[in-house]
Each structure stands twice: as C-alpha cells, then as structure tokens.
Amino acid sequence: MVSMDQPEAEPAPPRAVIATGTGRYGDPWHPFPATSARIAAALRSDGWDVTVDDDVDHALATLDGVDLLIVNAGDPWREGGTELTHRADPAADAGLRAAIARGVGLIAIHAALSTLRDHPAWREAIGGEWQPGLSWHPPVGDARVRIVDGDHPVTEGMPPIDVFDERYSDLVVDDGARVLAVHDVDGVEHPAVWVREQPTRAVVSSLGHDERAFDAPAHVALLQRAARWAARV
C-alpha cells in the first residue's frame, strides 16, 4: 500500500531587513552600502532571507512579517558640523513602533547609535547612543574587544574579537542595558557590545566602521549569534 502522506514543507527562513544609510542617513565617513553587503552575506550564510533597503524610511514602514531589523545608517540631524532639519516620516515612525510592539528583533550597527534620532522608540529600544560633545573615538586601527559577559547566548564561549575598526568611546549606555563586551583606551574601559530585552530584544554593536571590520571571523560570528538571539530563531 502506497502512503499518501505528503512530506512536510521546509520551514521558511527567518527574514531580516538591513536599513542602509543613503541620502540624509548617509555620511562621508562610513561606506554603508559596502558594510551592509558584508552584514547581509554573514546572515545569508547562516540561513537568513535578507533584504538590503537603501531607503531607511521605506525599510521602517514595511516591516510586516520581518523577524529582524538591522540598522546601519548615519545621523540624519547633522552634515559635518551643520545641524539639519528634524523630521520623521509618519509611515516610518508608525512602522517602527508597530514592529517593536510585536517583538521584532533589533540590531544597531556602529553609527546606528546616532541615527533614527527622529524616532524616540529606537533610542528607547537600543538603550544607548552616541552623544555629540561627549562621545568620541580614537583613530581607526587594530583593536581588541574583550568579552566581559560570557554567560549570555550572544557571547557564550566567544574569544576576544581582534578587529580593525573605529572604537566608539564614552557612549551613553542606559542602566537597563547588559554589557557583553568592552574595549580599552589608555587604560579606560568602554562598552562595545550590549543587549536589552525591553521593549523588545535588541543588540547594539559599536563595531563596523568599514569593510575591514568584517574581515574578523569572530566579529562575523558575533553578528550571526546576535541575529538569532534578537529574533528568537
């Protein structure tokens, strides 16, 4: 007798959107399209369906069915030393708030600590920021990022991350954040990677200035772990 049972369909891969800095979300210092391509490759190699959207407002407005939002974009309020007009796209703001409310996973990459400034929900969710006049960075170069919390799924068992990057220093980090990794400048320890779980799961990585930062296998592994933890997959 021939079985009529049908094979089970393969589950759909988790979906990620990378909101990439161009236009008012671009800047002269960060090659966002190139670094977003490296982030997308890291996730695709780990089984993700990834869309890279170079229109940040469009990305935020179209998050239905998306498991993970990665923001890799610059400061929309400043062009060099000039402060620009503050404006939030209503559809983008509504889309971001709705996605956070339903529990979308979030990853903030490097300059994302100073982006989406027109969207308070983003700042609340990631638990920190680059604060002009306070935050700074030493010159881009070789750096070691030390794991200081090896009990979290994102960093459990991970070695130090040796990376060529720009190290953000004196960032503002909220009390509710859990710092997983740090870097040191002149003997002073600075948070480099942290997580939050309210109002949704978010991972913040200050790493990722340009493509060279993604040549470090441990950095790629960190991103892959961060994506799965944030999106609960």
Side-chain angles (χ1 to χ4, degrees):
M1 182 177 179
V2 178
S3 172
M4 301 300 290
D5 292 340
Q6 297 295 319
E8 291 187 11
E10 289 290 326
R15 291 184 59 202
V17 167
I18 304 175
T20 301
T22 61
R24 71 188 182 110
Y25 289 100
D27 65 40
W29 308 288
H30 300 98
F32 294 119
T35 51
S36 287
R38 296 293 296 270
I39 296 164
L43 265 62
R44 286 175 180 139
S45 70
D46 199 36
W48 288 79
D49 175 2
V50 182
T51 299
V52 178
D53 195 330
D54 64 5
D55 182 334
V56 171
D57 290 332
H58 177 266
L60 300 184
T62 54
L63 291 172
D64 288 350
V66 173
D67 301 293
L68 178 69
L69 169 65
I70 301 174
V71 177
N72 183 38
D75 189 343
W77 284 4
R78 288 174 179 79
E79 187 173 281
T82 303
E83 185 157 337
L84 305 177
T85 302
H86 303 178
R87 60 182 174 85
D89 179 274
D93 194 59
L96 177 62
R97 289 180 181 276
I100 290 173
R102 68 170 170 80
V104 70
L106 301 176
I107 298 181
I109 300 290
H110 196 59
L113 282 155
S114 61
T115 197
L116 301 189
R117 293 192 186 273
D118 298 298
H119 301 279
W122 172 253
R123 170 62 180 82
E124 177 190 3
I126 67 171
E129 66 180 341
W130 170 286
Q131 188 173 107
L134 173 67
S135 305
W136 60 284
H137 61 79
V140 177
D142 292 316
R144 168 159 284 198
V145 175
R146 298 185 291 109
I147 307 302
V148 293
D149 186 344
D151 294 328
H152 192 277
V154 172
T155 46
E156 183 179 4
M158 282 199 68
I161 301 170
D162 292 317
V163 65
F164 190 92
D165 212 337
E166 181 181 70
R167 293 171 289 162
Y168 283 179
S169 306
D170 288 329
L171 298 168
V172 174
V173 182
D174 296 347
D175 290 341
R178 178 174 173 178
V179 175
L180 304 184
V182 300
H183 69 86
D184 301 286
V185 180
D186 297 330
V188 178
E189 183 177 283
H190 298 269
V193 179
W194 66 85
V195 296
R196 274 180 63 93
E197 296 198 51
Q198 294 296 332
T200 191
R201 283 191 177 184
V203 182
V204 176
S205 173
S206 64
L207 305 177
H209 176 74
D210 62 25
E211 302 99 311
R212 293 170 292 184
F214 300 91
D215 290 337
H219 184 198
V220 172
L222 177 80
L223 287 174
Q224 292 170 334
R225 288 178 173 216
R228 291 193 168 270
W229 178 81
R232 297 176 170 86
V233 298

